[in-house]
């Protein structure tokens, strides 16, 4: 009985493959459209995509073109070919702006760019593009059913840019080796980060590491620059203490500040 079922299944599979191969080689666009649609509905997007690619030019301007081009675009998305999915969805929305699928197409096109966004440690060109595409979608369809998801995707992408900027600033602090340029670069990076991301979840750490860089710069400076840099570090400590008096970093920060205060006293005695 098992052998009979296996044989029937194998026969059906071979028959299906045979029909697909015939459709691929056929010059009948209607046959390709019909089989492509059946394969698409069955979730066999790669096979459907190949048939759609063959007949897309012939259907241009015909009533069936709108359905065909949406399926063609979405087959790329389902195949995880997000570059082509993004391009095809945007093209669809542009060519069929009054289609009931236009809104969905523009959203999926923007989401395709979101899917291309890499981890925060890599170049973020695709992330910036994805944010722009999603914002364009929101601006065009402010009442869309996809609005909550679009906003969530932008939030995730923004966090990725924020995380990268923070880690770059933090890296300057880590690699600094008592070189004033390194600590100054770290302080500047954290200043820029706090300006660019005023509501960041990394604000406490950013303010602490900015102070840490200022402290190290001041304490290790050459004599004629030391006083001004120590005073600058104290200002950064005061800002940090005011914002986060109960910070997890406060004990260490207070020790550094005490050393800075002692240095200031030395300069006061000299004067």
């Amino acid at each position: 009985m098992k052998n009979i079922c296996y044989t029937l299944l194998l026969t059906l599979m071979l028959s299906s493959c045979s029909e697909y191969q015939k459709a691929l080689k056929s010059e009948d666009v209607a046959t390709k459209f019909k089989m492509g649609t059946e394969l698409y509905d069955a979730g066999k997007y790669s096979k459907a995509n190949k048939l759609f690619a063959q007949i897309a030019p012939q259907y241009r301007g015909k009533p069936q073109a709108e359905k065909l081009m949406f399926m063609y675009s979405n087959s790329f998305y389902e195949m995880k070919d997000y570059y082509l999915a993004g391009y095809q969805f945007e093209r669809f929305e542009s060519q069929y702006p009054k289609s009931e699928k236009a809104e969905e197409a523009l959203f999926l096109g923007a989401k395709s760019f979101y899917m291309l966004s890499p981890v925060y440690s890599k170049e973020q060109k695709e992330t910036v593009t994805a944010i722009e595409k999603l914002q364009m979608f929101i601006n065009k369809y402010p009442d869309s059913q996809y609005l909550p998801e679009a906003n969530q995707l932008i939030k995730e992408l923004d966090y990725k840019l924020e995380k990268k900027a923070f880690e770059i600033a933090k890296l300057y602090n880590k690699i600094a080796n008592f070189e004033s340029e390194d600590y100054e670069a770290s302080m500047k990076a954290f200043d820029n980060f706090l300006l660019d991301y005023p509501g960041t979840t990394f604000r406490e750490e950013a303010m602490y590491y900015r102070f840490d860089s200022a402290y190290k710069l001041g304490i290790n400076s050459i004599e004629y620059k030391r006083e001004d840099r120590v005073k600058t570090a104290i200002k950064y400590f005061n800002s940090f203490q005011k914002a986060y008096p109960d910070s997890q970093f406060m004990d260490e920060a207070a020790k550094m500040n005490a050393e800075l205060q002692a240095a200031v006293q030395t300069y006061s005695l000299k004067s």
Side-chain angles (χ1 to χ4, degrees):
M1 185 65 182
K2 287 184 179 179
N3 289 336
I4 294 174
C5 291
Y6 177 79
T7 302
L8 287 172
L9 180 61
L10 182 61
T11 301
L12 288 171
M13 289 175 62
L14 291 173
S15 175
S16 176
C17 291
S18 177
E19 289 179 15
Y20 174 67
Q21 291 300 323
K22 287 180 181 179
L24 279 175
K25 297 174 183 179
S26 173
E27 295 184 3
D28 185 352
V29 293
T31 298
K32 292 177 185 287
F33 184 94
K34 182 176 181 296
M35 173 153 280
T37 301
E38 290 174 354
L39 290 168
Y40 177 89
D41 290 339
K44 298 179 180 179
Y45 300 108
S46 180
K47 288 185 174 182
N49 180 275
K50 290 178 182 178
L51 289 169
F52 295 153
Q54 289 183 342
I55 61 176
Q58 289 94 325
Y59 272 91
R60 190 174 293 119
K62 294 183 178 181
Q64 303 96 321
E66 182 182 323
K67 178 181 179 181
L68 170 64
M69 294 312 296
F70 183 84
M71 291 191 296
Y72 184 46
S73 303
N74 199 46
S75 64
F76 282 115
Y77 185 86
E78 295 293 345
M79 291 160 58
K80 295 181 170 50
D81 189 341
Y82 297 117
Y83 280 108
L84 285 176
Y87 169 76
Q88 291 294 344
F89 274 128
E90 287 190 343
R91 187 180 178 192
F92 175 89
E93 197 272 343
S94 176
Q95 290 179 338
Y96 304 100
K98 295 182 180 180
S99 170
E100 63 178 18
K101 290 287 190 178
E103 178 183 328
E104 182 181 359
L106 194 62
F107 172 69
L108 289 175
K111 190 174 180 179
S112 295
F113 288 97
Y114 162 85
M115 299 300 290
L116 291 168
S117 174
V119 295
Y120 79 87
S121 58
K122 295 186 177 181
E123 169 62 42
Q124 294 298 303
K125 180 180 178 181
E126 288 88 354
T127 302
V128 173
T129 300
I131 291 173
E132 291 173 351
K133 298 291 185 182
L134 285 162
Q135 192 58 57
M136 285 172 58
F137 168 77
I138 290 172
N139 293 342
K140 190 163 187 176
Y141 297 100
D143 299 318
S144 172
Q145 62 176 312
Y146 303 109
L147 186 63
E149 185 177 357
N151 282 325
Q152 179 59 36
L153 296 180
I154 288 179
K155 184 178 180 181
E156 292 176 22
L157 295 167
D158 278 336
Y159 179 82
K160 196 176 291 186
L161 295 180
E162 181 182 313
K163 175 74 170 173
K164 184 175 180 66
F166 173 73
E167 291 298 335
I168 288 173
K170 194 174 177 181
L171 182 63
Y172 282 118
N173 175 275
K174 286 184 176 181
I175 65 175
N177 188 25
F178 302 120
E179 294 289 336
S180 63
E181 293 84 359
D182 292 336
Y183 289 124
E184 286 175 332
S186 176
M187 292 160 61
K188 183 65 176 177
F190 280 119
D191 280 337
N192 290 337
F193 174 77
L194 290 166
L195 282 172
D196 292 340
Y197 303 96
T200 177
T201 56
F202 299 110
R203 188 168 181 266
E204 179 182 345
E205 286 185 78
M207 292 186 73
Y208 169 72
Y209 284 113
R210 180 179 65 174
F211 164 62
D212 180 66
S213 295
Y215 158 78
K216 290 172 180 174
L217 177 63
I219 292 298
N220 295 291
S221 287
I222 55 178
E223 190 62 29
Y224 80 95
K225 291 184 177 182
R226 195 164 184 255
E227 183 177 5
D228 287 342
R229 288 175 172 176
V230 164
K231 289 179 178 178
T232 297
I234 291 173
K235 288 180 181 178
Y236 278 138
F237 171 79
N238 290 336
S239 295
F240 173 65
Q241 184 183 46
K242 183 177 180 181
Y244 300 99
D246 300 318
S247 172
Q248 59 177 316
F249 305 109
M250 187 51 67
D251 287 346
E252 186 63 28
K255 291 177 184 177
M256 291 189 284
N257 182 58
E259 189 175 349
L260 293 168
Q261 294 291 347
V264 168
Q265 288 299 319
T266 301
Y267 286 109
S268 297
L269 290 172
K270 287 181 180 179
S271 61

